[in-house]
Amino acid sequence: MTRYIQRHSLLTRVTHGVAAVACILLAVTGVFVFVPSLGGGIMGGEFTQTMRMLHRVLAVPFILVPLFAVLKSPAGFVHLFKEDIFGKWDKDDVTWAMKFPFYLFAPGKVHMPPQHHVKSAQRLADGALLFFCIMLALSGIVLWLNTGFPTGSGLKVDFAPETLLLAHLVHDVFFFLTVFVGIAHIYLGAGIFQPYRGTARIMFGDGKVSESDAVYHWGYWANEEIALGKNVTVEKDGKEK
């Protein structure tokens, strides 16, 4: 039998999943928007146009699903900002962040201090990723409105050339920043990094984490959950007891 702790709700997992898939597909289609000749040289002009259209369509769930989650659970949104991103750091948070670069290369030899619901360095990464995505969404909306929103509807806003230039610059800069941080996020979150093996279940499964993994990764949070007991379950042969 294995004890598990429920770490993320269904709403959190669905929102994260939709945003993650949309973000990856937006990055792929965005390459053909950023370098139109790439698609034209490989597949022809129609392929590039299809990628541009798909890029705009994918932006809809990327923006609307997180907004729905905020409206559905405003308390969760407040908690995300106040605790999971801008929560006050303690001594262990600072130590964990300082040791993390060494931990990446020698996880078996570096002892990491216990952490709260979200690790200190992850708060920085998550906050940056959230900010990057907001900037991408805002600049993308400006570019989309300038071409007609929805496409072909005739609802078009004529922005000043300087505004469009700034929107293009912001969109391109934060595109590359999002890809950079996103790759690191996938490396850790998907369990490619050995100490995180199996943790993909937390976001792309039932949202549970084994008690042993919880204590190892988020000691303070795990101990609080174990003491409360309401989110702790026991499973035997894959079935909840």
Side-chain angles (χ1 to χ4, degrees):
M1 293 188 295
T2 304
R3 285 162 58 92
Y4 288 90
I5 302 175
Q6 188 72 42
R7 182 163 171 80
H8 292 304
S9 67
L10 178 62
L11 178 64
T12 298
R13 302 194 311 270
V14 170
T15 303
H16 177 274
V18 171
V21 172
C23 191
I24 292 172
L25 294 177
L26 280 167
V28 173
T29 56
V31 171
F32 296 97
V33 176
F34 187 73
V35 188
S37 59
L38 180 62
I42 298 175
M43 303 294 291
E46 290 187 5
F47 177 79
T48 299
Q49 187 60 32
T50 300
M51 289 295 102
R52 294 174 69 90
M53 182 63 67
L54 186 58
H55 190 73
R56 297 170 184 173
V57 171
L58 289 166
V60 175
F62 178 73
I63 296 173
L64 293 187
V65 171
L67 286 178
F68 170 79
V70 171
L71 296 175
K72 180 72 174 177
S73 179
F77 177 71
V78 171
H79 183 273
L80 171 68
F81 265 81
K82 290 185 64 176
E83 301 296 334
D84 291 349
I85 294 180
F86 295 108
K88 185 178 180 180
W89 286 31
D90 57 25
K91 183 178 179 181
D92 284 334
D93 288 325
V94 175
T95 301
W96 197 96
M98 293 178 64
K99 285 187 173 183
F100 183 65
F102 306 99
Y103 178 68
L104 278 174
F105 293 99
K109 298 181 179 180
V110 179
H111 174 71
M112 304 296 279
Q115 289 288 275
H116 299 280
H117 185 254
V118 178
K119 298 174 182 179
S120 57
Q122 186 183 345
R123 294 180 213 165
L124 296 177
D126 288 352
L129 198 56
L130 179 60
F131 177 69
F132 296 166
C133 289
I134 290 174
M135 296 304 293
L136 279 172
L138 293 176
S139 58
I141 289 173
V142 170
L143 297 173
W144 197 0
L145 285 172
N146 186 69
T147 59
F149 180 82
T151 301
S153 67
L155 299 176
K156 182 178 178 181
V157 179
D158 293 320
F159 291 100
E162 295 81 5
T163 301
L164 291 176
L165 180 62
L166 178 61
H168 273 291
L169 178 62
V170 169
H171 206 68
D172 292 345
V173 168
F174 283 100
F175 166 76
F176 287 107
L177 288 174
T178 301
V179 169
F180 177 75
V181 176
I183 290 174
H185 186 75
I186 292 172
Y187 176 66
L188 297 174
I192 300 173
F193 182 49
Q194 195 278 328
Y196 288 78
R197 295 282 167 82
T199 56
R201 171 182 180 176
I202 298 173
M203 275 299 187
F204 293 99
D206 55 12
K208 297 178 181 179
V209 60
S210 68
E211 185 180 283
S212 58
D213 282 344
V215 171
Y216 175 78
H217 289 291
W218 308 280
Y220 289 129
W221 169 78
N223 289 332
E224 291 173 1
E225 291 293 333
I226 292 170
L228 292 173
K230 63 179 181 179
N231 293 320
V232 179
T233 58
V234 178
E235 293 184 10
K236 181 179 181 180
D237 298 327
K239 295 181 180 180
E240 185 176 318
K241 297 283 287 185

